[in-house]
Every structure is written in C-alpha cells, then in structure tokens.
Amino acid sequence: MQTVPWPFIAKEMLEAGALTFRELRRFHCAVYPGVWVPRGVDISAIDRARAAWLWSHRSGVLAGLSASALLGAKWIGPEVPAELIHSNRRAPRMLTVHSDTLTPRETQSIAGMTVTSPARTAFDLGRRLVLANGLQRVDALMNATDLKAVEVEAVMADHPGARGLAGLRRTLDLADGGAESPYETMTRLLLLENGFPRPQTQIPVYDERGILFARIDMGWPEYRVGVDFEGAHHWTDPRQRSKDVERYARLPELDWVDVRVTSSMLHNSPRVFLDRVGRALTARGCPRTW
C-alpha cells in the first residue's frame, strides 16, 4: 500500500488506484462523510480544517477558529469543531457551517484553501463568542498576525446589520495582541473588570547598562508595577525555573514590584491577586480607581 497524503477524499483515492477498498476500510477512518485519515493519527485543528474543506468539495471558505488556526493563532485544540462558510447547512458532527456573505477583500488563500482574512476572522469570532472566550481568541489572532482593531472596524462598516456587533465592539476595545496565552488575557480582563487602569502588555525591563533584562507580561511602567502569569513550564522546565529565580531576584533591585499569578489563583482566589496588585499600585502613587 502506498502512502497517501491525508486527510483525503476516499472516492478520489479509490478511483486513482492509490488505495483498495479493503485498505481504505482496514487502515483508515472517516473524519467527515467521504473524508478519511489513517487510523490512530492525532488530528490537529489544521488537519480538521482541511478535512472540512474537502467535505465541502473544495468550495467552502474556512472561517472562525479554523481560519484562525490556519492564520497561525495558538491554543486551538483538535477537539474544536471546524468552521466553514458554505451553502450546505447539513453539517456533520464536529463541523459548524455558516451562511455568511463575504466581500472579495475578506478572503485569502492558504495552502490552496480559501480562508477568511485576519480581519474578517476576528469580526466573526468577536461577534459570535461570549466576551471572555472571544477576547482570548481575538488576542491570539492579533498576536499571530499583527492584526489591528481598525482593520476589523473596516469589516464592521461593510456589514452594519450583522448580529453581535455590540459584543464585537466591546471585545475590540479590550483586545491586545501582546497577550501570549489565554491566561494572560484572562488576567488582563479580570483587572479591567475590577476597575484597574488598563495595563500595558509585554513591558521591556532594562538593567543598569541599558540592556534588555526581561519582559513583564503586563503592568503599569509609570508605576513600575508588573504582573506575570506563571504557567506550568515555569515549574517543570529546570532551565526556565533557574531563569525565573534570577529574574524575580533582580526585578526589585531594578525598582519593579512584580506580582505573580497562577491559573489556580485566577480560578480559586482572584480577590487575593487583585488585593496584591491594588496594594502595589497604591504604594507607588497610582490614584485608586478599583
């Protein structure tokens, strides 16, 4: 049996003689009707997007999180349904089909597939998803593509009657492509929703010689108060842990207060985190707004 690139349309492979029907059934399984992959493979969000596009007979436009994955955004797992703009609304399981209208400037080609542009993708994500989830997705897309809010606003002007524009405006107002993980977005949103001044993201910190020493996830450089999210790699990677020890020892020497936060704290004790940030800002002379 020859190696067949996947995902693939089974009918095409059978007609081309690349597979026999027995080989198809024994060594492969269907992702969507007519679209197959080898048994046991790990399917990524991009693989699922291509499978969805093949299911549409190569006529659909990949949108939403499928487009976002193809555009380079992170944190999109294989368990997320693919998304298409297509005329066939009878979508199989793990595939969401939309019947939206697109302008010519709202699509592009990636790996031979038609995909919504970064601006159109953010337009769809921000108006369809609830604030917290939509903000995480738009932040990730902006981080991957350098997309600006003004580009999304241009798409909004082309679709003034679209549903969800109020939510999209709120998302764009809060979006920041500096966020490098969903938890960084969650942290920033928690601060903003509790009245804190808007933090700057990815703040460079220089040592006494003017050499870049570190980047703080977010904070207020005018008060030298920062916030860093500690993911699992900070604890499981010995080299990262060693760097962190040096980093956190040096930041106070450079007159920075750095408040660290974990996923457990965000979920279980957000008030403790907010109080720490509030005390640090107050001590540095920030007018209280929270």
Side-chain angles (χ1 to χ4, degrees):
M1 183 182 72
Q2 61 181 289
T3 302
V4 177
W6 57 272
F8 58 85
I9 297 176
K11 182 180 179 182
E12 293 178 352
M13 293 299 104
L14 292 171
E15 290 178 348
L19 289 173
T20 65
F21 185 75
R22 179 176 179 274
E23 290 170 337
L24 174 70
R25 301 290 298 185
R26 182 175 181 183
F27 300 111
H28 304 82
C29 60
V31 179
Y32 298 121
V35 182
W36 294 58
V37 299
R39 291 188 183 277
V41 297
D42 293 325
I43 301 176
S44 69
I46 291 177
D47 295 329
R48 188 171 291 283
R50 178 170 286 278
W53 179 72
L54 291 173
W55 170 85
S56 76
H57 301 286
R58 302 181 175 89
S59 63
V61 179
L62 289 162
L65 291 177
S66 289
S68 195
L70 284 160
L71 289 164
K74 298 179 180 179
W75 322 109
I76 303 170
E79 75 285 353
V80 176
E83 292 187 65
L84 275 175
I85 296 174
H86 189 50
S87 57
N88 183 355
R89 296 301 303 276
R90 293 186 174 182
R93 181 178 173 274
M94 292 296 290
L95 175 55
T96 301
V97 175
H98 307 285
S99 56
D100 296 324
T101 300
L102 298 169
T103 67
R105 66 177 179 175
E106 291 172 6
T107 64
Q108 64 184 74
S109 179
I110 298 178
M113 299 176 287
T114 306
V115 179
T116 53
S117 67
R120 174 66 201 220
T121 303
F123 171 82
D124 290 332
L125 293 172
R127 67 192 178 93
R128 288 189 174 126
L129 300 176
V130 297
L131 178 62
N133 193 14
L135 184 59
Q136 290 173 26
R137 298 304 189 180
V138 172
D139 272 3
L141 183 60
M142 286 182 163
N143 185 273
T145 65
D146 199 30
L147 173 69
K148 307 302 182 188
V150 65
E151 299 172 64
V152 187
E153 290 165 357
V155 177
M156 294 169 66
D158 288 337
H159 303 276
R163 290 186 177 182
L165 292 185
L168 173 59
R169 290 190 184 94
R170 173 65 171 158
T171 297
L172 286 181
D173 179 59
L174 297 173
D176 190 319
E180 294 187 338
S181 75
Y183 272 112
E184 288 183 25
T185 297
M186 287 177 59
T187 302
R188 193 177 79 255
L189 181 59
L190 178 65
L191 290 164
L192 293 172
E193 288 184 330
N194 282 273
F196 284 82
R198 185 170 189 139
Q200 178 182 323
T201 57
Q202 302 306 314
I203 304 168
V205 178
Y206 300 91
D207 65 15
E208 300 88 342
R209 297 169 294 171
I211 298 174
L212 181 65
F213 168 72
R215 287 190 184 275
I216 295 176
D217 291 339
M218 70 195 75
W220 302 267
E222 63 271 37
Y223 302 112
R224 288 186 175 263
V225 173
V227 172
D228 270 317
F229 177 78
E230 288 196 343
H233 68 285
H234 290 270
W235 302 95
T236 58
D237 184 336
R239 286 186 298 178
Q240 181 64 49
R241 187 60 185 161
S242 179
K243 289 180 181 179
D244 288 346
V245 170
E246 172 63 16
R247 183 176 187 269
Y248 296 132
R250 288 280 287 131
L251 283 172
E253 296 173 3
L254 298 172
D255 198 33
W256 274 89
V257 176
D258 193 40
V259 181
R260 286 170 275 176
V261 61
T262 64
S263 58
S264 176
M265 186 176 293
L266 288 178
H267 289 299
N268 302 318
S269 53
R271 192 71 253 169
V272 172
F273 163 67
L274 293 170
D275 288 345
R276 287 174 182 169
V277 176
R279 287 195 298 270
L281 284 171
T282 300
R284 290 297 177 94
C286 177
R288 189 176 179 88
T289 59
W290 56 93

